[in-house]
Amino acid sequence: MARAKAEKRLFWTEEALTVLRSQYRITPTRELAAKLGCTPSALYQAASLQGISRTQGKRIRPDQNGYPIGYTRKNSYYGVLEKKVAATGNKHTDWKRIEVIEWEERFGPVPDGFHLHCPSDKPRSCDNLVLRRNKTDEANNCGYPVGHIRRNYNGLAEQKISASGNPDTDWKRLDVIEWERTNGPIPDGWILQVKSGMPRTAGNMRLVRRTVSAEEVTLVDLRKQFARRLIELEKINRATLSLNKDDFSKRKNRFSPEDDEAIKQLYLQHTTGRIAEILGRSFSSVQNRMAKLRAAGAIVAKTKKSAPYTFCEDALINELLPTHTHAQIAGRLGRSTRSVEKRIFRLRGKR
């Protein structure tokens, strides 16, 4: 059966590529594919070859997703209409709500420290927006004016006396303010205390000396700093002493040329443990030293070359071979059974 004729492919011209570059990020894929006369897969392939991505404008280009200035869309989070007013790449300043734009066109820009608020029971429009002061404005300390009275977390009434931005100095209790009007400011080192069983009013307050003065607080802080510094110096001294002790022990236990020569002589005849006993050292230190000598070529590994057999050893092997096993001969010679078997094989080959 004859195969169906393949569909004619679309050859991308410069005009089609221009349309693809300009419309790929803002036009749905199927709609753009139908406009260019190709399949969605061919459109994806051409965009990939041209290096075009739908998310490319988020990090590389400052125009943010390819939307032009003046473009209107629906905010995906709040569901309100917003318009693009700039192309700096900052989504918080590039987009602005439609009702805010209309309010600013009518009344001017929103002043610093204020924001536009829409009541929840009214529709979001320009006529329902209300100008409010920001609660996070540091210049007026949460938006309250000087002279405002509120309740603190202890339930005591306090009044705002300044707008420096420091809540510890901007607010003062009403009973303290009333007492200072009559008796003057509180002296240093003194505090106001309520008399027992009486309400907190200016007439029921009395001056009491602080249990700890400011100088004593400073001395306590200095004492803590000195103690902390002494602990740090003690740690440094301990580390230095331990380091010097380790260096001294290493210098004291270094292998001398006589020790190296003894290791070379005893290497093939004795085990590592026996050599450590003869030298009066630990097994690990002798093992590490033998590894260094082996790496330097001063000694040869036992597996590569063993001690050569002497004429007396060969004569003893020939004498004991008819009446003894290979293991018994190896025990008499102080060698391994495998070594004795190899030597017997060589001696038999020489006959």
Side-chain angles (χ1 to χ4, degrees):
M1 184 176 179
R3 295 177 59 182
K5 187 176 180 181
E7 185 179 356
K8 186 177 180 181
R9 293 185 176 182
L10 171 66
F11 292 96
W12 291 92
T13 60
E14 190 62 31
E15 292 78 5
L17 292 176
T18 303
V19 175
L20 177 66
R21 296 189 191 98
S22 61
Q23 301 293 328
Y24 184 71
R25 298 187 183 93
I26 60 177
T27 307
T29 305
R30 294 184 179 276
E31 181 180 345
L32 184 59
K35 182 178 180 180
L36 296 176
C38 63
T39 60
S41 60
L43 188 68
Y44 288 138
Q45 184 178 6
S48 177
L49 293 176
Q50 294 294 322
I52 306 172
S53 175
R54 292 186 181 275
T55 60
Q56 183 180 6
K58 289 185 177 180
R59 294 184 179 180
I60 299 176
R61 298 185 59 183
D63 53 356
Q64 204 182 76
N65 301 334
Y67 293 110
I69 296 177
Y71 184 83
T72 304
R73 70 176 184 183
K74 191 174 183 180
N75 190 300
S76 59
Y77 187 79
Y78 296 103
V80 297
L81 292 177
E82 58 184 8
K83 186 177 182 181
K84 188 171 184 180
V85 296
T88 61
N90 186 356
K91 62 181 181 180
H92 299 290
T93 58
D94 287 354
W95 296 88
K96 188 176 292 187
R97 296 200 303 267
I98 297 296
E99 64 272 12
V100 175
I101 296 176
E102 295 177 356
W103 190 94
E104 290 182 346
E105 290 177 354
R106 185 183 303 178
F107 304 101
V110 180
D112 295 336
F114 291 83
H115 68 279
L116 293 176
H117 173 72
C118 182
S120 58
D121 56 343
K122 297 181 180 180
R124 185 178 295 274
S125 63
C126 176
D127 299 331
N128 297 329
L129 293 180
V130 181
L131 195 64
R132 282 190 176 182
R133 188 185 297 272
N134 295 334
K135 290 186 178 181
T136 58
D137 189 5
E138 297 182 356
N140 49 35
N141 198 2
C142 301
Y144 295 109
V146 177
H148 182 79
I149 300 175
R150 68 176 185 182
R151 295 277 180 178
N152 60 11
Y153 61 93
N154 290 325
L156 303 177
E158 59 183 8
Q159 186 177 7
K160 187 172 183 180
I161 59 175
S162 61
S164 62
N166 186 2
D168 297 330
T169 58
D170 288 350
W171 296 87
K172 186 178 290 188
R173 297 200 312 267
L174 287 180
D175 52 351
V176 176
I177 295 175
E178 294 176 1
W179 189 92
E180 288 183 345
R181 288 175 184 172
T182 306
N183 305 291
I186 300 174
D188 295 338
W190 296 78
I191 58 174
L192 287 178
Q193 188 179 39
V194 181
K195 297 179 182 179
S196 178
M198 296 183 182
R200 184 182 293 272
T201 59
N204 297 328
M205 306 288 288
R206 62 180 179 181
L207 278 176
V208 179
R209 184 181 293 274
R210 287 179 180 270
T211 56
V212 180
S213 62
E215 292 78 4
E216 293 175 347
V217 172
T218 305
L219 292 175
V220 170
D221 293 339
L222 290 175
R223 183 180 179 182
K224 292 181 179 179
Q225 294 177 10
F226 284 133
R228 201 177 301 117
R229 183 56 181 170
L230 288 175
I231 294 174
E232 294 177 358
L233 292 176
E234 187 177 357
K235 291 181 179 179
I236 294 173
N237 293 333
R238 288 179 181 176
T240 306
L241 290 175
S242 62
L243 180 62
N244 295 336
K245 184 178 179 181
D246 294 341
D247 294 343
F248 177 75
S249 61
K250 290 180 180 178
R251 289 196 299 269
K252 184 178 178 181
N253 296 329
R254 284 181 179 177
F255 283 84
S256 61
E258 292 78 9
D259 295 338
D260 294 342
E261 191 65 28
I263 291 175
K264 294 177 184 179
Q265 294 178 3
L266 301 174
Y267 177 64
L268 297 176
Q269 287 80 15
H270 300 280
T271 61
T272 306
R274 179 58 181 165
I275 297 174
E277 292 178 2
I278 294 173
L279 297 179
R281 295 177 177 272
S282 63
F283 179 86
S284 59
S285 64
V286 175
Q287 189 177 25
N288 294 335
R289 189 61 181 176
M290 289 170 59
K292 292 181 180 180
L293 294 175
R294 194 182 302 113
I299 58 177
V300 185
K302 293 182 180 180
T303 56
K304 295 184 179 179
K305 184 178 181 181
S306 60
Y309 282 83
T310 62
F311 177 78
C312 297
E313 290 177 340
D314 292 342
L316 184 61
I317 290 174
N318 293 329
E319 182 182 353
L320 299 176
L321 187 59
T323 58
H324 292 73
T325 62
H326 294 174
Q328 292 174 350
I329 297 173
R332 290 285 297 274
L333 296 177
R335 294 177 178 270
S336 63
T337 306
R338 181 61 178 167
S339 176
V340 172
E341 290 178 353
K342 289 183 179 180
R343 188 59 181 173
I344 293 173
F345 177 78
R346 292 180 182 178
L347 291 176
R348 286 178 179 178
K350 291 181 180 181
R351 294 179 181 178

